[in-house]
Amino acid sequence: MPSSPTPNVDDEIVPPPKVNKWDGSAVKNSLDDAVRDILIKKLGFDENFNLVDGRLGICSIAVAIAMLALLWDYLYPFPQSRPVLLLCVSAYFVMMGVLTLYTAYMEKGIFAVAVYKDPAGNEPQTWEASSYMKRFDDMYTLSLSCFKGKNATEKTVQFEKSVACFFDTEGNLLLDLLEPEVLKLHNNLTSGKKDK
Amino acid sequence: MDSLFEDLRRMNKRQFLYQVLSFGMIVSSALMIWKGLMVVTGSESPIVVVLSGSMEPAFHRGDLLFLTNYEQDPIRVGEIVVFKVEGRDIPIVHRVLKLHERSNGTVKFLTKGDNNSVDDRGLYAPGQLWLTKKDIVGRARGLLPYVGMVTIYMNEYPKVKYALLAGLAGYVLIHRE
């Protein structure tokens, strides 16, 4: 498939694959991916991976602890390895607790964080997109937040629509229907700021 | 099947790393639970499957046994213990028949299966007449009937075991969230 040699703001968004329209999590993932694409490729924001990296880091530490326990027990068979095993098992379950807290309080359904560097030289704005969809429900809530710097007041707008608004009967995601909704939220936030 | 690979192809590096880590976490959780049980019970193999009918009618082939191996609880005659003969991996579940104890704490055991007609000397290593503390894996404390049959089948037909594990691994690696 031919691709443009130089990346530019209006990079062609790859059409999303067909999903099983009855599979709630696949549908939500498909919508989230498309929204991320719109923010990064259409609007030209830079994606910030800190949130995802944090989760990857916690998981890596947990797996490393488990591997350490395995290795130690292999080298020093059971009763000698008891104290190290006790330490590793406790540490592992602590990391699981940390991961749960992290996912619940820091991530909160946020699936994309992007930074917009104003060419006019103003402070870079941080945009966060988060979504929520109840199990077995068809209502998809997309929230878009924008704030400048750290600890600045953030503005949030959201829309709640049935996923049926964006998918056809085959399970294809219709970007033409999703894009205007997302851009509307974006414009809402940017124009709202100018009012102040 | 195709849609599964579609999902995989569309993942970027971070997504893929997360899938691999998710798989790692599942394996690690199982591992940590097992090691945790080892630490709590003091036994190197806290759950064993009864492999033969030598302890009928108390235990049948395929029963799952829960063991503990506490230092403070001395093993007495009449108790059911699980032991491993040196050089062989298979744990054997039998009852303690005779016991010799020294004042310094060293103990020697002789075991016999309830359903066997002779004691276990034929099973011990050549030249070995008694079991020592280090041969004992633990004492039987709890029982779940029939559940161990799954393990016995999977060990008799290893292809089933590998196919199942491969299928599970594939599913976790490819399916998102």
Side-chain angles (χ1 to χ4, degrees):
Chain A
M1 219 179 263
S3 54
S4 47
T6 48
N8 55 28
V9 169
D10 292 293
D11 227 342
E12 203 186 292
I13 297 177
V14 177
K18 224 153 64 145
V19 292
N20 176 0
K21 62 186 174 183
W22 300 116
D23 180 357
S25 75
V27 162
K28 180 180 179 295
N29 284 333
S30 185
L31 281 169
D32 289 350
D33 281 348
V35 171
R36 185 190 295 120
D37 273 350
I38 293 173
L39 284 179
I40 307 300
K41 294 189 182 144
K42 188 98 187 153
L43 294 171
F45 293 174
D46 298 316
E47 192 164 2
N48 175 320
F49 292 108
N50 289 351
L51 214 55
V52 182
D53 284 349
R55 182 156 47 123
L56 289 179
I58 296 176
C59 289
S60 305
I61 293 175
V63 174
I65 291 174
M67 294 299 115
L68 175 71
L70 188 66
L71 188 69
W72 194 271
D73 190 52
Y74 180 73
L75 293 175
Y76 304 102
F78 185 53
Q80 294 100 294
S81 60
R82 193 165 185 272
V84 173
L85 282 187
L86 186 61
L87 194 71
C88 285
V89 172
S90 322
Y92 184 79
F93 287 110
V94 164
M95 287 316 296
M96 298 294 267
V98 167
L99 183 67
T100 312
L101 288 175
Y102 185 85
T103 315
Y105 292 111
M106 292 221 60
E107 287 206 328
K108 289 181 288 198
I110 298 173
F111 61 85
V113 177
V115 176
Y116 173 59
K117 292 204 176 67
D118 201 344
N122 297 337
E123 247 184 79
Q125 305 164 346
T126 308
W127 293 75
E128 282 177 2
S130 65
S131 67
Y132 177 69
M133 198 166 116
K134 268 209 295 253
R135 232 170 117 81
F136 304 129
D137 196 9
D138 70 324
M139 297 308 284
Y140 174 79
T141 311
L142 175 68
S143 303
L144 200 57
S145 309
C146 170
F147 48 102
K148 287 189 181 163
K150 294 176 191 175
N151 301 324
T153 47
E154 64 175 76
K155 273 197 72 178
T156 309
V157 289
Q158 65 180 54
F159 71 74
E160 185 179 338
K161 282 198 149 163
S162 167
V163 296
C165 300
F166 306 113
F167 285 88
D168 67 12
T169 47
E170 302 272 305
N172 292 312
L173 173 56
L174 302 167
L175 284 171
D176 307 332
L177 298 177
L178 181 63
E179 227 178 273
E181 290 292 328
V182 179
L183 292 175
K184 209 166 36 170
L185 289 183
H186 172 257
N187 292 335
N188 207 319
L189 285 175
T190 43
S191 62
K193 276 191 159 342
K194 285 193 188 121
D195 279 347
K196 285 189 185 149
Chain B
M1 265 312 278
D2 273 342
S3 60
L4 287 175
F5 287 107
E6 261 304 327
D7 242 350
L8 190 65
R9 243 173 280 151
R10 302 235 331 150
M11 283 184 207
N12 58 26
K13 273 197 299 270
R14 274 190 172 74
Q15 270 292 344
F16 185 67
L17 187 62
Y18 184 63
Q19 295 297 113
V20 170
L21 277 176
S22 293
F23 175 69
M25 296 267 280
I26 292 177
V27 171
S28 303
S29 294
L31 191 71
M32 289 289 99
I33 291 175
W34 179 253
K35 298 282 177 220
L37 271 178
M38 275 170 65
V39 168
V40 163
T41 62
S43 162
E44 67 173 36
S45 183
I47 303 179
V48 293
V49 176
V50 176
L51 295 171
S52 69
S54 56
M55 278 299 284
E56 289 188 13
F59 302 148
H60 298 87
R61 190 171 135 88
D63 288 348
L64 205 70
L65 281 180
F66 299 95
L67 313 177
T68 63
N69 197 20
Y70 299 133
E71 289 277 323
Q72 313 90 301
D73 264 335
I75 297 176
R76 294 273 145 248
V77 169
E79 290 181 351
I80 301 173
V81 295
V82 176
F83 60 91
K84 279 194 188 158
V85 176
E86 214 156 327
R88 273 186 244 143
D89 263 332
I90 312 171
I92 304 175
V93 190
H94 284 167
R95 204 181 290 271
V96 175
L97 202 65
K98 283 190 199 170
L99 215 169
H100 281 303
E101 199 173 22
R102 288 218 187 122
S103 46
N104 64 9
T106 49
V107 210
K108 293 201 288 195
F109 310 97
L110 177 63
T111 57
K112 175 183 170 298
D114 289 350
N115 210 18
N116 291 346
S117 47
V118 292
D119 61 33
D120 289 343
R121 287 207 165 110
L123 291 172
Y124 298 166
Q128 181 185 11
L129 293 173
W130 300 90
L131 289 175
T132 54
K133 193 84 177 54
K134 71 171 178 55
D135 298 312
I136 306 282
V137 173
R139 282 149 78 200
R141 295 298 205 173
L143 171 80
L144 263 184
Y146 310 119
V147 177
M149 281 310 248
V150 175
T151 314
I152 293 180
Y153 283 142
M154 291 223 287
N155 279 322
E156 280 185 20
Y157 306 106
K159 289 202 183 125
V160 173
K161 176 161 66 169
Y162 296 136
L164 206 72
L165 288 175
L168 242 115
Y171 179 76
V172 173
L173 280 173
I174 292 173
H175 189 81
R176 260 180 81 173
E177 297 283 284

